[in-house]
Amino acid sequence: MKRSWTALAVALSAIFAAIGCNDYGNTFQVPTGATIAALSPANIMAGSPGFTLTVIPAPTGTGFVAQTVVQWNGGTIATQVQTDSNGNVLGITATVPASLVAKPGTAFVQTLSPHSGAGTNGLSNSLAFIINPPGSPLPAVSSISPSCAVAGGPAFTLTVVGSNLLPASDPSGGSQVLWRAAAGGTQTMLATVGSTSATQIQATVSSTLIATQGMANVSVFNPPAPQSGSGSGGGGASQNSPPFTIAATSCPAGSVRPAAAVQSAAEETPAVSADARFVAYSATQNEHAQIFVRDTCLGATGGCQARTLLVSATMDGAEGNDDSRSPSMSADGRYIAFSSAATNLLAEAAPGRQVYLRDTCLSAQAPCSPSTQLVSTEPQGALVGTEAILPSVSASGRFVTFVAVTPSHVTNSGFRQVFVRDTCVATINCTPTTIPFSLQQNDSPTTDGINTR
């Protein structure tokens, strides 16, 4: 019987020990320090700058002392204690750095005061501090293209250029293009097409919206951020809404075509996808040659709207600031390699003509945001001082060959060498590499899938 009681005592001791420990192996302690009633502020938007947090004590109970410090998720942060001439504590604040509120979530705040004696720990009770998701920005519209259509015409793609636009992948659902008939008419949310950048969004204007002569206004609406707590969630409609003319017979010259279509085509060989739906080409726009891709909708299912996209674009969707040429396209039309002298496409690009690979997201089967990567790069320095031209991309878009030219100061030519870049697109556990790629006159290419366009 005695052994049974001993075993029971041991078991109960183990249970209580387990109950007294948290997931980190630390023992939970009943607070024996000050009592805090509130925090000010009690919440903030994620991504906010550093701020001062005021810890408010309870009107009764143990208060703060001059050596009290504030803890954030168990770690001590810079604390300021205000005292009177007699050393009595008047208030306590703490400096919360921006790094602690960079992401949404919940933090726990408590204080720690000096303590001594068995059964004391100097800890106060803990209060939750809420870090809300950032609110959506307010969009702005700078232009629309086209700005006119003939009444009774077919549906078309409207391009809206502005700022603070949100992609469809944003938690809010992304920016919405709103079409309102003039004089207080009905407002319609247009169906967006393609990928939205921070500065450009495209939407389909149906034939019913331009069936009769009149005017309309176009604006952009950003939905508020979800789960924004006590915050407003931000967002809202653009302050400006450019007018759109629905003409009776004809539109003014230059107002019926999107800006990306007002081009002077260059005399270069275009690149075409395997199914002939997508065509990449070089054309002059605003004094510089740019690379464009046209979705002709050839062979596409119903609902496809033919459109033209800028390929030689910066991260925010603006056009390159110098000439771009020699497009080469992957079999599915998604990846387009090109040579460009523009200096604003990527910050890490060297001066002079370089080769880039653009993921247009055309034909992508999963959510995708257009992006550009530098192809003519080699960490060992083999491409230092060279310019890159004549890219050729493989069918999958993974491999890109190009010619590296070392300019000559004596003649108009220069030393030329062919390189191949493994970009690692659509692969995992892969490190991009660039190596020399030379073929003898009687050799045949062995690199899988390399195109010449």
Side-chain angles (χ1 to χ4, degrees):
M1 185 69 176
K2 184 176 182 181
R3 291 182 179 178
S4 298
W5 283 109
T6 301
L8 178 60
V10 172
L12 290 174
S13 298
I15 292 173
F16 290 140
I19 292 175
C21 292
N22 59 18
D23 292 340
Y24 301 95
N26 299 320
T27 302
F28 287 121
Q29 303 179 63
V30 177
T32 63
T35 302
I36 57 178
L39 304 173
S40 180
N43 61 79
I44 202 169
M45 201 75 70
S48 297
F51 64 98
T52 298
L53 177 70
T54 301
V55 182
I56 303 171
T60 59
T62 305
F64 303 137
V65 297
Q67 293 78 31
T68 298
V69 295
V70 177
Q71 293 190 329
W72 180 282
N73 284 338
T76 300
I77 57 177
T79 304
Q80 302 81 40
V81 178
Q82 295 80 42
T83 61
D84 60 17
S85 57
N86 296 321
N88 299 313
V89 176
L90 302 176
I92 187 169
T93 59
T95 301
V96 181
S99 59
L100 295 181
V101 294
K103 297 181 180 179
T106 302
F108 292 93
V109 177
Q110 62 184 164
T111 61
L112 175 65
S113 300
H115 62 93
S116 62
T120 64
N121 54 29
L123 294 172
S124 73
N125 58 308
S126 180
L127 294 183
F129 185 93
I130 307 302
I131 308 169
N132 297 314
S136 298
L138 185 67
V141 177
S142 57
S143 65
I144 60 174
S145 182
S147 59
C148 177
V150 176
F156 62 92
T157 298
L158 177 73
T159 299
V160 181
V161 176
S163 59
N164 293 333
L165 306 183
L166 302 175
S169 58
D170 187 84
S172 67
S175 298
Q176 303 167 0
V177 180
L178 304 180
W179 174 283
R180 182 183 290 279
T186 302
Q187 180 170 276
T188 303
M189 184 176 72
L190 305 182
T192 58
V193 295
S195 300
T196 300
S197 70
T199 59
Q200 179 175 297
I201 186 173
Q202 293 184 309
T204 300
V205 179
S206 66
S207 58
T208 58
L209 294 177
I210 57 171
T212 57
Q213 180 184 2
M215 296 291 295
N217 289 94
V218 177
S219 60
V220 174
F221 175 78
N222 282 353
Q227 301 176 348
S228 56
S230 60
S232 66
S238 57
Q239 298 297 309
N240 57 326
S241 52
F244 187 95
T245 303
I246 308 171
T249 56
S250 61
C251 289
S255 66
V256 294
R257 292 185 294 171
V262 184
Q263 310 147 358
S264 174
E267 294 184 4
E268 296 183 9
T269 303
V272 184
S273 62
D275 60 3
R277 173 177 171 177
F278 303 105
V279 181
Y281 60 94
S282 175
T284 300
Q285 177 175 290
N286 296 328
E287 300 182 354
H288 291 300
Q290 306 289 345
I291 304 297
F292 299 89
V293 60
R294 177 71 173 176
D295 181 358
T296 67
C297 292
L298 181 66
T301 57
C304 179
Q305 295 288 331
R307 56 196 173 113
T308 302
L309 302 176
L310 177 66
V311 174
S312 51
T314 63
M315 298 299 290
D316 61 1
E319 61 188 30
N321 59 8
D322 208 332
D323 291 341
S324 298
R325 300 187 182 279
S326 305
S328 178
M329 177 181 284
S330 62
D332 60 1
R334 175 172 175 174
Y335 299 99
I336 299 175
F338 62 96
S339 177
S340 179
T343 59
N344 61 340
L345 300 185
L346 289 176
E348 65 267 26
R353 292 174 294 178
Q354 302 297 329
V355 170
Y356 301 87
L357 183 67
R358 177 75 169 177
D359 181 356
T360 66
C361 294
L362 295 172
S363 72
Q365 301 301 312
C368 174
S369 296
S371 60
T372 301
Q373 63 172 286
L374 179 65
V375 170
S376 51
T377 179
E378 200 278 324
Q380 305 304 318
L383 296 175
V384 173
T386 67
E387 294 191 351
I389 60 174
L390 302 176
S392 181
V393 66
S394 66
S396 66
R398 174 176 174 177
F399 301 97
V400 181
T401 60
F402 61 93
V403 176
V405 181
T406 303
S408 172
H409 299 290
V410 179
T411 66
N412 291 328
S413 61
F415 177 74
R416 301 188 175 208
Q417 187 175 14
V418 177
F419 286 81
V420 60
R421 173 76 170 175
D422 181 355
T423 66
C424 292
V425 297
T427 61
I428 57 176
N429 299 324
C430 174
T431 301
T433 56
T434 304
I435 59 174
F437 180 71
S438 301
L439 295 176
Q440 300 299 323
Q441 183 175 4
N442 296 325
D443 288 341
S444 59
T446 57
T447 302
D448 184 31
I450 296 293
N451 293 332
T452 60
R453 289 205 188 102

